[in-house]
Amino acid sequence: MNLFELKAWEIANGLRNKDFSCEEITKNYFEKIKEVDKDINAYISLMEEEATKRAKEVDEKFKNREELSEIAGIPISVKDNISVKNVRMTCGSRMLENYVSPYDATLVKKIKENDGIILGKVNLDEFAMGQSTRTSYFGVTKNPLDLTRVSGGSSGGSAASIASNQAAISIGTDTGGSVRQPSSFCGTVGFKPTYGSVSRYGVASMANTFDQPGVIASDVRDVITMANIIEGRDKRDATSVGNPDLKYEFNYDTDLEENLKGVKFAIPSSFLEMDLDKEVKSEFDKAINILKANGAIVEPYKIDSLKYLIETYNILVNGEISSNMARFDSVRYGHRTDKEFKDIEEMYKISRGEGFGDEVKRRIMIGTHILSLDFAKDYYEKAQKVRGLIIKEMDELYKSFDIMLCPTAPCLSLKIDSEMSLTEIYQSDLFTIPANMIGSPSISLPMPLGENGLSVGIEFTGKRFKDKDLLSAALGFERSLQK
Ligand code: GLN
């Protein structure tokens, strides 16, 4: 058996049983990366030297019988909008093509302290804006399930690195679905914890009130293990509060499908009227039947304000984006043009014009417009109120239900050259955005691959800070699919 096919928890067991060393595992993964990544393009930067050095240290610690963390020796990929000290962090943008992080993000620090082995930094849509990795300056990441299709986004490099066995666990970020949607496309598990569970310190901001780091892996157990490590209040991120719920230890040797008994799932009725790809629709129907067969209750539920979801998201997110992107001024950070300029104003214009891609520019322009004095009241402030309304209605749902249920994405992974209008692209985030809007934990779980070899994700979104209940149901669903 190839070591890179093992789940992270199997690697952890193997290391403890001395079936193989951490150095062997690491070597195995880099060989795999060299073999397959020229076709997939998941990695932007590799950290082979550092990873190998750390692997030897971990082997030493095992030899000395030190009590090590569950992620000790596990090969990990990190999305390239998260700082790893002395390693390039591009955010998928020409703007930061040569930027090297001077410090570790808090979550990276935790991974290192727990002896996780970071193999490298993986591709994303530029500054995490998109759903296909097609907006990355470093080119699209192809879907390992079908190389003519996209891996999804924005954490496409993360999901593809897992689906092609180029890492055992990956860290992504999720502002409107970026951990879950690529998981749906690539057949991986993608988990975004409750907003505030994981520190955003050292994570490049897209939209601060929506962003949350999350985990992608090949099963729920691995996702839980990593979430447990990176969770925690951090004084460097005032919006982080930590989440003791993620510290809960599950017993994986029980009949996990029992976890579904009596769990109440609500499907927003407007979602039932949506146009879905026929494969998505049939897998979703199957999922509903599986849940019911295992004792869960599944019912439709009407939430009127969801009809404003996409517009509200885009106004608020673009507002936050425009202010976050302002820091890339080519002075403190970012690409500086080689062209002549007559004054600083022109230097900004040319440098930012060259450094940012179209999607980022579009969002900066919309965001600046809706935040401007004349329009803020009509757009930004109104959207804030609608966000409040959506939160209120969703809180009402969670008084009678435990989990909101829907497909993760309305479609299968798209062909790389497919053309979609911007409206269609933005609309396709409909199922993932609610969790970010209200700060809830949410997970995408893959259905077994169909005849076409492609994946459909089923999404569970839970109550804020009830991550344990969500993950318990996710484990139940995953186990029931294996039966
Ligand atoms: N696809 C969404 C967007 O483009 C979400 C991105 C994300 O979660 N980072 O806004």
Side-chain angles (χ1 to χ4, degrees), residues 181 184-185 275-280 407-414 420 424 428 431 455-457:
Q181 187 260 25
S184 166
F185 283 8
D275 251 351
L276 302 175
D277 273 7
K278 72 173 193 314
E279 293 87 348
V280 176
T408 309
C411 54
L412 294 171
S413 160
L414 304 171
M420 268 170 104
E424 281 172 321
S428 68
F431 301 140
S455 159
V456 170

Side-chain angles (χ1 to χ4, degrees), residues 231-449:
E231 153 302 314
R233 159 133 175 70
D234 176 14
K235 63 177 189 310
R236 292 191 161 111
D237 169 8
T239 62
S240 75
V241 282
N243 188 349
D245 233 44
L246 290 173
K247 293 282 183 221
Y248 182 83
E249 281 184 32
F250 290 97
N251 179 355
Y252 298 104
D253 297 326
T254 55
D255 293 331
L256 289 169
E257 64 275 24
E258 295 285 316
N259 296 4
L260 292 173
K261 219 168 245 166
V263 177
K264 294 177 88 180
F265 287 85
I267 310 174
S269 11
S270 56
F271 288 1
L272 288 167
E273 290 146 23
M274 278 275 299
D275 251 351
L276 302 175
D277 273 7
K278 72 173 193 314
E279 293 87 348
V280 176
K281 169 97 182 73
S282 77
E283 292 304 308
F284 186 54
D285 288 343
K286 253 190 240 166
I288 294 174
N289 289 334
I290 290 169
L291 290 170
K292 285 184 177 164
N294 284 286
I297 297 143
V298 185
E299 285 171 10
Y301 183 93
K302 202 161 177 299
I303 313 172
D304 285 329
S305 56
L306 284 183
K307 60 174 177 278
Y308 308 121
L309 188 76
I310 301 288
E311 292 79 356
T312 310
Y313 169 81
N314 280 292
I315 292 173
L316 295 175
V317 160
N318 287 341
E320 295 187 32
I321 285 172
S322 70
S323 95
N324 277 321
M325 293 300 118
R327 68 169 65 87
F328 301 103
D329 58 5
S330 321
V331 178
R332 284 168 303 174
Y333 325 88
H335 166 81
R336 167 85 65 96
T337 185
D338 296 330
K339 296 205 180 97
E340 292 281 314
F341 45 85
K342 62 175 186 303
D343 54 17
I344 187 156
E345 194 73 24
E346 197 177 52
M347 188 279 285
Y348 286 153
K349 267 192 209 154
I350 307 177
S351 301
R352 283 168 64 87
E354 290 172 354
F356 290 132
D358 287 348
E359 183 61 24
V360 176
K361 284 180 191 158
R362 186 160 35 238
R363 295 192 191 209
I364 293 174
M365 282 194 276
I366 299 173
T368 312
H369 177 73
I370 54 115
L371 284 183
S372 61
L373 200 57
D374 291 344
F375 297 104
K377 246 199 162 44
D378 288 345
Y379 294 108
Y380 193 72
E381 288 175 28
K382 213 181 253 174
Q384 292 276 39
K385 287 186 191 141
V386 182
R387 185 179 197 180
L389 195 70
I390 294 171
I391 293 174
K392 208 165 127 213
E393 276 205 82
M394 294 283 292
D395 283 351
E396 216 38 59
L397 175 152
Y398 285 116
K399 282 186 187 153
S400 355
F401 291 91
D402 305 298
I403 289 172
M404 184 178 96
L405 174 71
C406 45
T408 309
C411 54
L412 294 171
S413 160
L414 304 171
K415 288 276 187 194
I416 289 173
D417 53 9
S418 73
E419 292 204 7
M420 268 170 104
S421 71
L422 279 177
T423 330
E424 281 172 321
I425 292 177
Y426 295 153
Q427 284 288 344
S428 68
D429 290 337
L430 183 70
F431 301 140
T432 46
I433 290 174
N436 305 79
M437 200 59 112
I438 66 175
S440 271
S442 185
I443 189 163
S444 175
L445 301 155
M447 292 294 281
L449 299 185

Side-chain angles (χ1 to χ4, degrees), residues 194-219:
T194 297
Y195 181 82
S197 304
V198 180
S199 167
R200 292 181 296 108
Y201 178 73
V203 179
S205 291
M206 173 175 159
N208 316 40
T209 70
F210 292 79
D211 299 340
Q212 186 62 195
V215 187
I216 298 181
S218 36
D219 73 358

Side-chain angles (χ1 to χ4, degrees), residues 79 128-131 154 173-178 206 313 317 363 429:
K79 187 174 179 178
M129 300 173 201
Q131 39 278 90
S154 62
T173 59
D174 193 309
T175 303
S178 278
M206 173 175 159
Y313 169 81
V317 160
R363 295 192 191 209
D429 290 337

